[in-house]
Amino acid sequence: SRTELINDLTASSAYGTAVIKGRVSNFLSPKNLSYNLKLVARNLETGKWIKQDSLFGKVNGTISAKGSGTDYKTADIQSVVDLSSFRVMKHDYSGIHLNLAGTKGHYDFNGNTNDPLLLLSLRGNASLNKQYPTVKSFIEIRNANPYALGLYTADSFSFKTKANIDLKNLDPVMLNAFV
């Protein structure tokens, strides 16, 4: 039998506001689940929801997901994350953009941040449908300041780098990786 939930929900509380719009079908059968959802978060206290408020704080922005299935090895998904801000530890990261497209365990991704303390971009692909994943990606960090981000407490420093990552085989017996 086909089950369907059509959402147009706005929830406001002391933990912020979440607007959820979209459709979920076949939710009683995760294997056959399909979805087309959009979440708009305004000052949403993510850490308080999951009892990790020393790690995560308020998030503002939009997350959308369209696809089918829940098993990452067989699901099809298109997702876009566009966050104006997200607090992690002691820093409010700004300008976070991520795109993910996946089919049957093969995923393409790209993203960037425009935070002055962490300017980065990345793109790549991953295959997650076998026992050991493979990943090929490129990351460019134009500026990172771990001290100002609260990730390093000994001294202030900044760095930048570019890296090609090619993880062809992560089997511990036959490891084949290049960074």
Side-chain angles (χ1 to χ4, degrees):
S1 76
R2 182 174 169 91
T3 53
E4 188 168 59
L5 176 64
I6 299 171
N7 303 323
D8 191 351
L9 170 72
T10 299
S12 294
S13 75
Y15 289 177
T17 301
V19 178
I20 304 168
K21 292 187 179 190
R23 178 183 307 250
V24 179
S25 300
N26 301 316
F27 55 85
L28 296 177
S29 173
K31 185 173 147 183
N32 298 320
L33 177 82
S34 65
Y35 44 88
N36 186 354
L37 296 169
K38 181 177 183 179
L39 166 70
V40 178
R42 289 190 295 270
N43 295 317
L44 193 60
E45 292 279 4
T46 55
K48 289 182 180 177
W49 283 101
I50 61 171
K51 299 188 186 319
Q52 295 288 326
D53 57 342
S54 64
L55 182 58
F56 299 114
K58 293 180 181 177
V59 64
N60 289 285
T62 304
I63 301 170
S64 64
K66 180 178 182 179
S68 60
T70 58
D71 181 343
Y72 67 90
K73 290 183 177 182
T74 58
D76 292 322
I77 186 169
Q78 301 278 326
S79 184
V80 176
V81 176
D82 189 9
L83 304 179
S84 58
S85 65
F86 183 31
R87 185 165 191 82
V88 178
M89 295 172 62
K90 297 179 180 176
H91 182 68
D92 289 313
Y93 290 84
S94 61
I96 301 166
H97 309 283
L98 299 168
N99 294 298
L100 175 73
T103 301
K104 296 179 178 40
H106 298 285
Y107 294 87
D108 293 316
F109 57 87
N110 66 67
N112 63 65
T113 63
N114 292 317
D115 189 291
L117 299 179
L118 182 62
L119 292 169
L120 71 82
S121 59
L122 63 96
R123 67 180 180 277
N125 57 65
S127 290
L128 307 175
N129 57 357
K130 298 203 166 104
Q131 182 177 4
Y132 298 103
T134 62
V135 178
K136 190 168 188 161
S137 67
F138 173 78
I139 184 168
E140 179 181 9
I141 300 173
R142 294 180 306 283
N143 180 52
N145 188 328
Y147 180 80
L149 292 169
L151 303 173
Y152 182 75
T153 58
D155 200 0
S156 181
F157 72 95
S158 293
F159 70 92
K160 59 182 173 178
T161 190
K162 294 179 182 179
N164 283 305
I165 301 166
D166 192 0
L167 309 175
K168 293 180 181 177
N169 188 347
L170 292 180
D171 180 339
V173 177
M174 302 192 53
L175 183 64
N176 184 357
F178 172 79
V179 177

